[in-house]
Amino acid sequence: MVNLTRVKKIEIVSFGYKYREVPKANLVVDVRFLKNPYYDEALRPLSGLDQLIQDYVLNQKPCQEFIATLSQMLPLLLKGYDGFGSSHEAIVIAFGCTGGKHRSVTLAIECGKILTGLTKVEVEVNHLDLGKE
């Protein structure tokens, strides 16, 4: 458990690069390195809110390696943002993919689960471009 004293909230956002510039965030992760469910016609209409998409994305070996690395990195980042001289009352972590519908949504949700287990600070997950397609 990471004990935070200055940071009061962590916001995780998903977004689509085709809809916006990169949002202002403390950490931005481009997840277009993962295989895109968009190219499977049966999965295309679904979103990262659906279990089938989450399974598709999270079961990819590169995604599993990424999540393991992210899980190790997050405590260090949280402590740093909360550290001496920091003015971060809120931390924003952004995940971007092409359309902001599948991969970024899935990873934002997964990151929210990780952070909820790491700290007692409020964790909020928002999907900026979900539904725009």
Side-chain angles (χ1 to χ4, degrees):
M1 184 70 61
V2 177
N3 185 26
L4 301 175
T5 57
R6 296 176 187 208
V7 172
K8 305 299 181 214
K9 179 180 177 182
I10 301 169
E11 182 181 8
I12 304 162
V13 298
S14 68
F15 71 97
Y17 283 96
K18 74 179 188 178
Y19 295 115
R20 67 178 65 240
E21 296 292 320
V22 175
K24 185 176 179 181
N26 302 94
L27 175 65
V28 177
V29 182
D30 182 338
V31 296
R32 292 178 290 185
F33 70 94
L34 298 170
K35 189 174 174 187
N36 192 346
Y38 174 86
Y39 295 107
D40 181 326
E41 294 210 16
L43 298 177
R44 185 177 299 169
L46 302 175
S47 78
L49 300 176
D50 295 300
Q51 190 64 49
L52 282 174
I53 296 297
Q54 291 175 11
D55 292 344
Y56 181 94
V57 173
L58 296 173
N59 287 330
Q60 295 177 41
K61 184 170 175 58
C63 187
Q64 293 169 356
E65 293 171 356
F66 169 74
I67 289 170
T69 301
L70 182 67
S71 296
Q72 292 179 344
M73 187 175 72
L74 284 171
L76 174 67
L77 292 173
L78 293 176
K79 289 176 192 173
Y81 286 127
D82 196 58
F84 178 75
S86 175
S87 63
H88 298 284
E89 286 189 19
I91 295 172
V92 179
I93 300 172
F95 291 90
C97 66
T98 306
K101 179 178 179 180
H102 298 113
R103 296 166 290 177
S104 63
V105 171
T106 298
L107 270 293
I109 291 168
E110 193 66 19
C111 185
K113 291 176 185 176
I114 294 167
L115 287 169
T116 298
L118 278 179
T119 181
K120 294 182 180 181
V121 170
E122 176 189 359
V123 176
E124 181 180 300
V125 179
N126 294 303
H127 308 293
L128 303 180
D129 296 318
L130 191 59
K132 287 190 175 179
E133 66 285 334

